[in-house]
Amino acid sequence: PQQQCGLDAIATLMPSPAVSYFASDFNYFQNMIISLQGLGYITGVSLFATPYDWRRSPESDDTHISITQTAELIKTLTGKKTVLLSHSLGNMQALYTLNGMSQADKDEYIAHYVAIMPPYVGATKAADMFLGDNYFDPFHAGISSREVQATSATSTSLYDIIPKPTYSQQANEKYMQDLMTRLNAEKLHDPSTPEGLAW
C-alpha cells in the first residue's frame, strides 16, 4: 500500500486472483483508479488514497490526520487543492476531518468534497452485523455468524451508522420535503421502476 500511495488498499477488498475472478464486486475501486489515471492523475503526485480501519469510528483513530496531511502534500506537489472523494463509511471519516479543519485550511487545501453513498442517516447493514449477518464471508470460507457478532460488538464505527429515524422525525422540515420530492421525481423517471416505465 505504501508503494502505491494507498491505492492498493482500496483497489480490491480481497487481493486474490481467484476471488477477483469469481466476484468482481471485490474489485472495489480498481476501475475508478484506472479511469482517473487515464484522465491524467498521477499516483503519488495527484492521486492518493487514505485507507482506514472500517471497524473504528473517526474519533478513535488518526485517519483525519492522514487525510489532512495528504491534502497538504498534494498542494505542495501540484499547487492545487484536493478533490476529496469518499465512499460509504469513508464519508464519516471525511466529514470528521472537514469538521475539524479551520475554514482557512479548507479554503487553502480542499477544492471539493464528493460523497458517494454516505450513510449519514444510518445503514441497515450495521444492524444486520450486530445480529450476525455474514456479509464479509459470501463464500462461507470460515467466518461464523458468532465471530461476526463478536467483531461487531467492538467495532465502534458500526454504532455511528445504526439506522436513524431521520426521515420520520424531520418529515416536516423543508429540506426533507425537498429531498423526498427529488427522490419521488427520480423514481418517476427511473426505467427500472413501474412508474418510470409508465412515464
Side-chain angles (χ1 to χ4, degrees):
Q2 281 284 46
Q3 298 156 330
Q4 291 297 316
C5 302
L7 297 176
D8 285 355
I10 68 164
T12 179
L13 292 181
M14 294 182 139
S16 159
V19 171
S20 295
Y21 178 78
F22 289 108
S24 60
D25 287 350
F26 288 107
N27 292 328
Y28 222 50
F29 285 106
Q30 184 64 44
N31 291 337
M32 182 179 288
I33 291 167
I34 292 168
S35 295
L36 289 170
Q37 290 169 334
L39 291 171
Y41 287 88
I42 301 167
T43 302
V45 177
S46 56
L47 182 60
F48 294 83
T50 309
Y52 63 94
D53 185 341
W54 64 269
R55 298 167 300 176
R56 299 177 69 185
S57 64
E59 298 84 1
S60 67
D61 72 5
D62 59 359
T63 301
H64 62 283
I65 296 171
S66 299
I67 294 171
T68 302
Q69 289 175 341
T70 301
E72 291 169 354
L73 177 61
I74 290 171
K75 183 70 185 265
T76 300
L77 293 173
T78 68
K80 296 180 179 179
K81 298 179 186 183
T82 293
V83 175
L84 180 57
L85 174 67
S86 298
H87 174 258
S88 191
L89 193 58
N91 283 287
M92 306 307 271
Q93 297 284 352
L95 196 58
Y96 183 78
T97 301
L98 293 171
N99 286 337
M101 294 175 77
S102 69
Q103 188 60 52
D105 282 347
K106 285 187 264 194
D107 292 343
E108 175 75 15
Y109 299 111
I110 305 297
H112 301 285
Y113 166 47
V114 180
I116 301 173
M117 297 174 58
Y120 294 146
V121 295
T124 56
K125 187 53 67 181
D128 292 345
M129 289 184 69
F130 283 120
L131 298 173
D133 184 352
N134 217 345
Y135 174 70
F136 290 101
D137 190 15
F139 301 113
H140 307 290
I143 303 173
S144 71
S145 292
R146 191 165 299 282
E147 289 168 321
V148 171
Q149 280 181 306
T151 301
S152 299
T154 59
S155 299
T156 54
S157 66
L158 293 178
Y159 292 92
D160 290 340
I161 60 169
I162 289 175
K164 299 159 187 69
T166 306
Y167 290 107
S168 58
Q169 285 181 342
Q170 299 186 16
N172 295 324
E173 298 290 332
K174 183 175 180 344
Y175 88 92
M176 185 58 71
Q177 291 174 350
D178 290 346
L179 174 63
M180 296 312 293
T181 299
R182 172 63 187 261
L183 291 174
N184 289 332
E186 288 180 4
K187 186 177 179 183
L188 286 174
H189 301 290
D190 181 353
S192 66
T193 65
E195 298 89 345
L197 284 173
W199 182 76

